[in-house]
Amino acid sequence: MLKRITYYAILGILIIGVYGAGGLVVEEFKTGEGCPKIMGIPMCLVILFCFLIPSIVHLLKRKNIVYFLLTGLAGSIALIASIMQFFGYAKCPKAASGTPMCYYSLLLFSSLIVLKIVHSKMKVQQ
């Protein structure tokens, strides 16, 4: 039962992430100002990719290494962006509430990693 709950919790978070990052990517393509860029690459596009591929891997129940590699990469980007936002060295796009979205990304990717670890350990035990 708990295994099923973690599976759907992961899926729900991934859907929320795809929706949020997808909105930023659409804004980026419309205005060119949807998200910060590193070497000309919009980071929201990287984050969207890091939500989409783990979603597919999770749904198809494939190798966890790809899932952890991409969620770890995006989590690292979100952590660095959150620290830079906090100290005023960067500007993350803000949600309607005014909260920087890099904070939300950090929370989502941290949750995804923890839930997948829990889910994977339950799978091994059964």
Side-chain angles (χ1 to χ4, degrees), residues 11-104:
L11 191 58
I13 293 170
L14 287 166
I15 291 169
I16 290 168
V18 168
Y19 178 77
L24 286 175
V25 169
V26 168
E27 183 67 26
E28 175 64 31
F29 284 127
K30 282 183 182 177
T31 65
E33 298 179 12
C35 55
K37 296 167 189 62
I38 296 177
M39 296 187 305
I41 300 169
M43 286 297 101
C44 54
L45 190 58
V46 173
I47 298 299
L48 177 61
F49 180 77
C50 289
F51 275 119
L52 282 173
I53 300 303
S55 298
I56 294 166
V57 169
H58 184 66
L59 285 170
L60 297 177
K61 298 177 181 169
R62 298 291 179 197
K63 304 258 182 206
N64 286 341
I65 189 77
V66 174
Y67 178 94
F68 285 117
L69 184 67
L70 291 175
T71 54
L73 170 67
S76 299
I77 291 170
L79 177 62
I80 292 167
S82 295
I83 291 169
M84 291 176 71
Q85 170 73 33
F86 184 78
F87 289 110
Y89 295 116
K91 263 195 149 167
C92 297
K94 296 194 177 185
S97 64
T99 305
M101 293 184 86
C102 52
Y103 296 167
Y104 290 128

Side-chain angles (χ1 to χ4, degrees), residues 5-14 58 67 112 115-116 119:
I5 291 170
T6 58
Y7 178 85
Y8 286 110
I10 292 168
L11 191 58
I13 293 170
L14 287 166
H58 184 66
Y67 178 94
L112 286 170
L115 282 170
K116 191 66 165 184
H119 183 76

